[in-house]
Amino acid sequence: MSKPHLPSEFELIERYFAPLARGFPGACGLRDDAAVISPAAGNELVAKTDIIVCGVDFQPDAPAERVARKALRVNLSDLAAKGATARAYLLDLIVPETIDEAWIAAFARGLAHDQNEYGVHLIGGDTSSTSGPITVAVSALGEVPTGRIIRRGGARPGDDVYVTGTIGDAALGLAVVRGELSGLDADAAAFLVERHRLPQPRVALGPRLLGIATASIDISDGLVADLRHVCEVSALSADIEARRVPLSAAARRALAADPQRLAAALTGGDDYEILFTAPAAAHAQIAALARSSGVPITAIGRMVPASAAGHPSVIVRGERGQPLAFASEGWTHFGTDP
Amino acid sequence: MSKPHLPSEFELIERYFAPLARGFPGACGLRDDAAVISPAAGNELVAKTDIIVCGVDFQPDAPAERVARKALRVNLSDLAAKGATARAYLLDLIVPETIDEAWIAAFARGLAHDQNEYGVHLIGGDTSSTSGPITVAVSALGEVPTGRIIRRGGARPGDDVYVTGTIGDAALGLAVVRGELSGLDADAAAFLVERHRLPQPRVALGPRLLGIATASIDISDGLVADLRHVCEVSALSADIEARRVPLSAAARRALAADPQRLAAALTGGDDYEILFTAPAAAHAQIAALARSSGVPITAIGRMVPASAAGHPSVIVRGERGQPLAFASEGWTHFGTDP
């Protein structure tokens, strides 16, 4: 492949990235070495970074707009799960020399789209060339009322375990992409693939969990793995029922055709839903929140004391109450290509 | 090369990275999805990100400790030039599958060393595997008194242009590494190579420029290129004299042997010194600051109105006052391998 002519780093910033900083004075139009950002009075900043790599987190044929949006959204999902409201982000863009200006332009359009959707601004960044795959790291900054961030470690015995939306769509969508899941109608397949390709972070809901959720995490490694993270930091176990895990109509059809895929749905990554715990007393408030936000929120089990040996664990029960065993608990970033 | 067995991401965090978050409560021991950070009363946060890539910013044989320290220091240098005091950073570490646990351990040791040296903490991060080269992105967070960050754009006509330390060592060190600069004694060569390999960010000095400097930038792209950045945002030109640019004894020896290398010294990257502007009235204060800090600070020229056509430019004058011309103004990140 011939090496395209890419404008200088300074020209790229001026043409494509500086416009993304408009409306955030502290970014100084990206015409400086650093940005300033302050939380509103009574708030503190919340910081998070996440990387996506071509061949690991997205396919080589993924359009640039979608790569940009995924890189941003996986971070916004984390902030939302902490009860934080996203404000700004730093962008590290590392691209091979086969990338041309049209790709950069499309990438910036993807960011612009999501900036409008989520009310965030680019406030700084860096670019570099690489002999390897496209790699995008975003560091997102949000804010939350001081001292009120929703941590993984706040769950208490007896708390209910809730999830937003539906679980497993992304893992099943990945199976569709890989050609491993056949027999689905086109609409269901397209729905699952779209859920795999582009997260829909629960940014409107997350901050509304402040004062309700005792612990929270976004489901990126997989339901079981992320619930285990909550268990470990909360020093508790979780006891959930597979039949209560909310599934989309498309996921239900996929599982009817191939029941063995249940494990993939419960342990696969990239759901980008919120898993949280809350006391029984919050039940009515959570039901009201689901109604007013339009986001389904489903109780799937309970937090229980860790085993006598003190090992936090996640018990997933099948139809007859029997614990299910999974070969893998979830996604790891040192893993195989999708 | 055989693929080493790397522990899981969670084990790596627990063993090597979580200890780097100790002492910063908002990092929650890296056992959560995000960190909280607040500026002290009267301050605001300053955010900056910078990437280093193997084969572009460091050699493939660079030890892991040094890679870690360089990744952190290039960011600390930017914060210092803005008058900010570094507090914390997020780390994105992208490594090929040839990396083993010993490399990660050494990388973390490098970070621990510099955390002690500079008083910063790791507060979050992400890791991923790649089929490409080692890539490290750091997003640094510091703080500065509200509204007082030193920008690129504050220079005024008649301001003096100052630089800290010595200029060109890193560029000449790169020439030594490449085998292009011979005839130097071993000590001088070693000094220049070390200046090329590991930045010494001016973190103690930077915040002391608050209230003195009208504009500031760290010299990473090269003296001429970075001075041009100040000119562009300040809408001024700069008129500097090559003979006033401070050179180390080793650099003077290198230039005595090969005067053509002056261009490399003035336009090469990676000095990580601070370039700033200040009014003539600040001269005595700056001399006192140089004495008390032990960091040489040298005036090299003046800011002048931009040309009649309004184009900001950097004029570098030679021995007889004649403007010098350079083939390249500085380093670009979309460039060739070192």
Side-chain angles (χ1 to χ4, degrees):
Chain A
M1 211 177 304
S2 72
K3 180 179 160 181
H5 173 72
L6 209 54
S8 76
E9 188 175 20
F10 309 109
E11 288 170 305
L12 288 177
I13 292 169
E14 210 47 40
R15 271 181 224 168
Y16 300 109
F17 296 113
L20 299 173
R22 275 184 209 138
F24 198 101
C28 212
L30 304 188
R31 301 193 79 189
D32 210 320
D33 308 286
V36 290
I37 179 169
S38 283
N43 282 6
E44 56 192 347
L45 285 179
V46 179
K48 165 71 190 178
T49 189
D50 229 334
I51 309 161
I52 65 171
V53 179
C54 183
V56 179
D57 303 288
F58 60 92
Q59 312 276 342
D61 63 353
E65 287 93 336
R66 196 204 295 153
V67 174
R69 296 167 77 189
K70 180 164 186 181
L72 184 55
R73 288 176 180 213
V74 296
N75 281 281
L76 300 184
S77 178
D78 278 299
L79 293 188
K82 302 291 100 183
T85 301
R87 296 254 329 265
Y89 65 100
L90 301 165
L91 170 71
D92 291 306
L93 177 59
I94 303 132
V95 293
E97 293 187 342
T98 49
I99 289 300
D100 60 13
E101 186 171 356
W103 192 95
I104 301 281
F107 185 88
R109 277 198 305 275
L111 291 177
H113 180 281
D114 273 11
Q115 289 196 183
N116 282 328
E117 183 154 350
Y118 298 112
V120 296
H121 287 91
L122 177 67
I123 61 168
D126 194 14
T127 53
S128 189
S129 62
T130 179
S131 58
I134 298 169
T135 301
V136 190
V138 166
S139 294
L141 297 168
E143 56 186 271
V144 73
T146 299
R148 297 201 41 215
I149 186 172
I150 311 171
R151 290 296 194 186
R152 292 182 181 180
R156 289 167 296 195
D159 278 359
D160 290 306
V161 177
Y162 293 88
V163 293
T164 62
T166 57
I167 299 298
D169 298 324
L172 296 167
L174 175 57
V176 172
V177 169
R178 285 174 168 170
E180 297 169 356
L181 212 170
S182 53
L184 271 184
D185 60 282
D187 282 357
F191 172 84
L192 296 175
V193 169
E194 187 57 26
R195 287 276 284 167
H196 160 64
R197 283 182 172 159
L198 194 60
Q200 302 287 336
R202 297 297 188 185
V203 297
L205 190 73
R208 298 182 66 183
L209 294 175
L210 289 167
I212 296 177
T214 50
S216 178
I217 191 170
D218 84 316
I219 308 177
S220 53
D221 292 337
L223 172 64
V224 175
D226 285 312
L227 179 50
R228 170 179 277 274
H229 296 328
V230 169
C231 288
E232 283 168 350
V233 189
S234 296
L236 294 173
S237 286
D239 196 327
I240 66 171
E241 292 176 73
R243 68 173 175 79
R244 296 172 73 183
V245 174
L247 300 174
S248 66
R252 281 197 302 272
R253 257 173 280 169
L255 295 183
D258 183 357
Q260 294 301 315
R261 296 254 164 222
L262 177 64
L266 300 184
T267 65
D270 286 348
D271 287 311
Y272 298 104
E273 297 290 352
I274 298 178
L275 180 152
F276 67 96
T277 60
H283 185 79
Q285 202 179 356
I286 292 166
L289 176 58
R291 278 193 304 275
S292 68
S293 66
V295 178
I297 304 177
T298 310
I300 61 171
R302 280 199 320 144
M303 300 302 291
V304 297
S307 70
H311 294 307
S313 64
V314 174
I315 302 149
V316 184
R317 298 191 186 277
E319 289 297 334
R320 291 172 307 281
Q322 81 285 14
L324 304 177
F326 300 108
S328 163
E329 275 210 345
W331 176 254
T332 166
H333 293 278
F334 290 112
T336 47
D337 283 8
Chain B
M1 211 176 304
S2 74
K3 180 178 160 183
H5 173 71
L6 209 54
S8 76
E9 188 175 22
F10 308 110
E11 289 169 303
L12 288 177
I13 292 169
E14 210 49 37
R15 269 180 226 168
Y16 300 109
F17 297 112
L20 300 173
R22 275 185 208 137
F24 198 101
C28 213
L30 304 188
R31 301 193 79 191
D32 211 318
D33 308 287
V36 290
I37 180 169
S38 282
N43 282 5
E44 57 192 348
L45 285 179
V46 179
K48 165 69 191 178
T49 190
D50 228 334
I51 309 162
I52 64 171
V53 178
C54 182
V56 179
D57 303 288
F58 60 92
Q59 310 277 341
D61 64 354
E65 287 92 336
R66 194 204 295 152
V67 174
R69 295 167 78 190
K70 179 163 187 181
L72 184 54
R73 289 175 179 212
V74 296
N75 281 281
L76 299 184
S77 178
D78 279 300
L79 292 189
K82 301 291 102 183
T85 301
R87 295 255 329 266
Y89 65 101
L90 302 165
L91 171 70
D92 291 306
L93 177 60
I94 303 132
V95 293
E97 292 185 345
T98 49
I99 288 300
D100 60 14
E101 188 172 355
W103 192 94
I104 300 281
F107 185 87
R109 277 198 305 276
L111 292 177
H113 181 282
D114 274 9
Q115 289 196 183
N116 282 327
E117 184 154 347
Y118 298 112
V120 296
H121 288 91
L122 177 66
I123 61 167
D126 194 14
T127 54
S128 190
S129 62
T130 179
S131 58
I134 298 168
T135 301
V136 189
V138 165
S139 295
L141 298 168
E143 55 187 272
V144 74
T146 299
R148 296 197 46 213
I149 187 171
I150 310 170
R151 291 296 196 187
R152 292 181 180 179
R156 290 167 297 197
D159 278 357
D160 290 306
V161 177
Y162 293 88
V163 293
T164 62
T166 57
I167 300 298
D169 298 323
L172 296 168
L174 175 59
V176 173
V177 169
R178 286 174 168 169
E180 297 168 359
L181 211 169
S182 52
L184 270 184
D185 60 283
D187 282 357
F191 172 85
L192 296 174
V193 169
E194 187 56 27
R195 287 275 286 166
H196 160 65
R197 284 182 171 158
L198 193 61
Q200 303 287 338
R202 298 296 187 185
V203 296
L205 190 73
R208 299 181 67 184
L209 293 175
L210 289 167
I212 296 177
T214 49
S216 179
I217 191 169
D218 83 317
I219 307 177
S220 54
D221 293 337
L223 173 65
V224 175
D226 285 312
L227 179 51
R228 170 179 278 274
H229 297 326
V230 169
C231 288
E232 284 168 349
V233 188
S234 297
L236 294 173
S237 287
D239 195 327
I240 67 172
E241 292 175 73
R243 67 173 176 80
R244 297 173 72 184
V245 174
L247 300 174
S248 65
R252 280 197 301 272
R253 257 172 281 167
L255 295 183
D258 183 358
Q260 294 301 314
R261 296 253 164 222
L262 177 65
L266 299 184
T267 64
D270 286 347
D271 287 311
Y272 298 105
E273 297 291 351
I274 299 177
L275 181 153
F276 67 95
T277 60
H283 186 79
Q285 200 178 358
I286 291 167
L289 176 58
R291 278 193 304 274
S292 67
S293 67
V295 177
I297 304 177
T298 310
I300 61 171
R302 281 199 319 144
M303 300 301 293
V304 297
S307 69
H311 295 307
S313 64
V314 175
I315 302 149
V316 184
R317 297 192 186 276
E319 289 296 336
R320 291 172 308 279
Q322 81 286 14
L324 304 178
F326 300 108
S328 162
E329 276 211 345
W331 175 255
T332 165
H333 293 280
F334 289 113
T336 48
D337 284 8

